[in-house]
Amino acid sequence: GITGLNYLYLYECGSASFFVLLLMPLLILVCFYLLGSTADSYFSPTLANLCDEMGLSHEVAGVTFLALGNGSPDVFSSLAAFAHGDGDAQLGLGALLGAAMFVLNVVLGS
């Protein structure tokens, strides 16, 4: 990993159970805190400025940009698959339809 720790070794090694049971969940909590504080400090003010510039309500802009950020990797990978042309168009179409079915069945169904 980035920290230089071999996480698989720490998980599989019996002598590292203290690290796995106590410090790894603490590390996950720290990562979530850092992610939340970064989003609060940088993403939210930028989104508020975009809302004001475009004349959108904050709720509509949040949902719109969230959907754009969530779906853009799928769209660009499918465009790359279609542009390649060696039968990868089926892969790109399958990825788009699979993502749409996942959203419809799992996300909206829950």
Side-chain angles (χ1 to χ4, degrees):
I2 294 173
T3 59
L5 295 173
N6 188 352
Y7 297 111
L8 186 60
Y9 175 76
L10 289 175
Y11 180 74
E12 295 293 330
C13 183
S15 63
S17 62
F18 171 75
F19 181 77
V20 171
L21 292 177
L22 184 66
L23 295 180
M24 291 294 275
L26 183 65
L27 181 65
I28 290 173
L29 289 175
V30 168
C31 288
F32 278 125
Y33 172 75
L34 291 174
L35 178 67
S37 66
T38 302
D40 191 38
S41 298
Y42 296 105
F43 180 69
S44 297
T46 305
L47 186 60
N49 288 339
L50 282 173
C51 294
D52 295 338
E53 291 287 327
M54 298 174 79
L56 294 172
S57 69
H58 289 209
E59 292 83 12
V60 171
V63 171
T64 303
F65 289 125
L66 179 66
L68 178 68
N70 189 24
S72 62
D74 294 332
V75 170
F76 289 122
S77 63
S78 296
L79 285 175
F82 285 127
H84 195 262
D86 289 340
D88 290 337
Q90 292 177 348
L91 179 67
L93 184 63
L96 284 176
L97 292 177
M101 287 298 159
F102 176 79
V103 168
L104 285 175
N105 292 320
V106 176
V107 176
L108 292 178
S110 62

